[in-house]
Amino acid sequence: MVTAFLTLLVFQLLGSAVQARFGLSVPGPVIGMFMLVGFLLARQAMERGARPVVSDDLGRLARGLIAALGLLFVPAGVGVVTQFGVLRTNFVPIAVAIVGSTVLALVVTGAVMHLGTRSRKPRA
Amino acid sequence: MTVPGFVTHDPEMLSLFWIAITTAAFVLGVGCQIRLRGAVWANPVMIAIALVACVLALTGTTFDAYFAAVEPIHFLLGPATVALAIPLAQFIGHVTRSLVSMCLALVAGSVVSVVTGIVLVRALGGDRLVALSMAPKAVTTPIAIAITQQVGGQPSLTAAFAVCGGIVAAVLGEPLLRRLGISDWRAHGLAAGLAGSGIAAAQVARRDPLAAAFAALGIGLNGLVTALLVPVIRMLVP
C-alpha cells in the first residue's frame, strides 16, 4: 500500500515539476495522471499484455481514493460560504449557465458520438 | 456556541476536530442519500458542505481557520486525481474501435461546455470571476478546482457549480438523449462523463457496463481537453 501511495505521489510530483518547468497551464496532478496512463500503457505494450498491469495494491488504493473523492472536495466546497455576496448578485446568470451549458454539452457530446458510431451496435 | 478552548489552543487538536466534523458530515450525507433510495438530488457532497457551513456559522469559525485545519483532506485531492489514471488506462482499449467519433464528440462537447458556460454568464450580466469559475465546471471536481486556480477563478464557486452541473446531467441526461433518439450506450456514457463527471457517471454506470467504461473515459479525457482549452479561451473573455 505504501509503494502504491508513493507511485501516486511521484507521478503528481513529476507532473507538477513538468508544469512548473515549462510554465504550462494544465494543472500538475492532471499532467501526472496522463504520465501514469502513459507509463501503464507503455509497460503493457512492452510486456505484450492484453490489459494494463496494475498491482493489486495500486488498484485497491485508486479505488479507495476515487470512492472517497466526494469527501476530498468538501473543504474547497465549504468555501462557498465566503461567496454568498457573489452568489446573490449573480444568481440568474449562474442558474441559467449551469443548466443551459450542462444540457448543451450533454446533447452535443451524445449526438456527435451517436452520429459517428451509428453504423455499429451496441444498442441501449 | 464555541469550540472548546482545549481544541482551539492546539493546532493538531483543531485539525483532528474539523477533519472529524467534515468526515461525519459526509457520512451523514451518504446516509441521507441511501435513505432517499439513491435520489440524485440528495448529493452527499452538497449535504456535507451545507452541514459544515452550519457548524462554522454556529461556532463563529472563519472559513480560513477551517480550511487550514482540514488541509490534510484537501491535500489528498492531488494523489486522488493521479489515481484516476488507473481506470482510464484500463478502459482506453475501448477507444480504439470508435476513436475518431470519440475524439470529435469529446472536443465538440468540451468546447460547447466551456464556451456556453462563459457566454451565458457574461450575456446575463454575471461577473468575470463567475464566468471563469463556470468554465471548467463540467470536469471532475478535483481537476476543475486545479484548472480554476490556474486561470484565476474561485475554487469554491467551481466546486459548487461542478456538483450542481453533475446533478443536472444525472437527472436530465438519459431522458433527454432518448428523446433525441440516441440509444447507443457509448454515447450515453461519454455524454454523462463529459457533462456531469462523477455524479452523472455513477448514474449511467448503474444502467450498463459499457456506459460505465465510456463515462470513465469521458471524465478523464475531458479533464485534459478542458485543461488545454480554458487558458486559451480565458484570453477571449470580456
Side-chain angles (χ1 to χ4, degrees):
Chain A
M1 203 52 105
V2 179
T3 319
F5 192 54
L6 180 62
T7 307
L8 297 181
L9 290 178
V10 166
F11 275 91
Q12 185 185 351
L13 194 59
L14 283 173
S16 303
V18 167
Q19 191 229 342
R21 175 67 187 75
F22 299 100
L24 303 177
S25 55
V26 180
V30 180
I31 300 174
M33 172 180 94
F34 281 97
M35 290 170 87
L36 181 53
V37 170
F39 172 77
L40 292 172
L41 294 178
R43 204 167 60 178
Q44 179 192 354
M46 277 192 324
E47 295 174 5
R48 299 176 197 286
R51 315 206 65 211
V53 190
V54 176
S55 73
D56 287 349
D57 273 355
L58 186 56
R60 253 199 308 271
L61 178 63
R63 273 195 300 280
L65 277 174
I66 293 168
L69 262 182
L71 170 63
L72 304 188
F73 48 76
V74 171
V78 171
V80 100
V81 297
T82 62
Q83 304 295 322
F84 280 142
V86 179
L87 289 179
R88 201 168 34 235
T89 53
N90 291 270
F91 184 76
V92 173
I94 288 173
V96 173
I98 288 177
V99 177
S101 159
T102 301
V103 164
L104 287 169
L106 268 172
V107 169
V108 168
T109 311
V112 174
M113 188 68 186
H114 174 70
L115 293 175
T117 54
R118 200 161 40 170
S119 43
R120 287 151 296 152
K121 306 286 168 291
R123 304 232 145 238
Chain B
M1 211 169 26
T2 49
V3 180
F6 74 93
V7 173
T8 48
H9 293 320
D10 178 355
E12 235 169 86
M13 258 317 263
L14 201 59
S15 271
L16 179 59
F17 177 78
W18 285 113
I19 291 172
I21 293 280
T22 306
T23 311
F26 187 71
V27 169
L28 272 171
V30 172
C32 273
Q33 191 175 39
I34 291 171
R35 293 210 73 173
L36 293 162
R37 278 179 255 111
V40 180
W41 51 266
N43 180 264
V45 177
M46 200 97 107
I47 296 171
I49 289 171
L51 288 173
V52 173
C54 289
V55 179
L56 289 184
L58 284 173
T59 57
T61 308
T62 64
F63 172 70
D64 290 342
Y66 165 77
F67 195 75
V70 294
E71 179 62 36
I73 296 185
H74 184 71
F75 172 79
L76 285 175
L77 266 182
T81 304
V82 179
L84 292 170
I86 284 110
L88 192 55
Q90 284 168 338
F91 289 128
I92 221 149
H94 290 281
V95 184
T96 44
R97 268 167 293 153
S98 35
L99 187 66
V100 177
S101 36
M102 205 183 89
C103 288
L104 284 175
L106 197 65
V107 174
S110 296
V111 171
V112 166
S113 172
V114 172
V115 171
T116 59
I118 293 174
V119 168
L120 284 172
V121 169
R122 293 302 273 170
L124 294 166
D127 299 340
R128 189 169 191 272
L129 177 76
V130 173
L132 288 177
S133 311
M134 186 66 73
K137 61 118 186 29
V139 183
T140 182
T141 313
I143 300 182
I145 289 175
I147 294 174
T148 218
Q149 280 168 340
Q150 208 73 47
V151 299
Q154 169 56 244
S156 49
L157 286 179
T158 301
F161 298 165
V163 173
C164 294
I167 293 172
V168 170
V171 174
L172 298 180
E174 204 183 323
L176 193 68
L177 293 183
R178 286 201 183 278
R179 183 154 292 192
L180 293 168
I182 297 168
S183 54
D184 190 319
W185 277 124
R186 289 171 295 186
H188 275 263
L190 192 71
L194 187 145
S197 69
I199 296 169
Q203 183 74 8
V204 290
R206 283 206 288 265
R207 306 271 287 124
D208 183 83
L210 189 64
F214 273 85
L217 282 170
I219 294 175
L221 297 177
N222 189 28
L224 179 69
V225 177
T226 305
L228 293 170
L229 207 61
V230 171
V232 178
I233 292 180
R234 176 183 61 157
M235 291 184 257
L236 309 173
V237 180

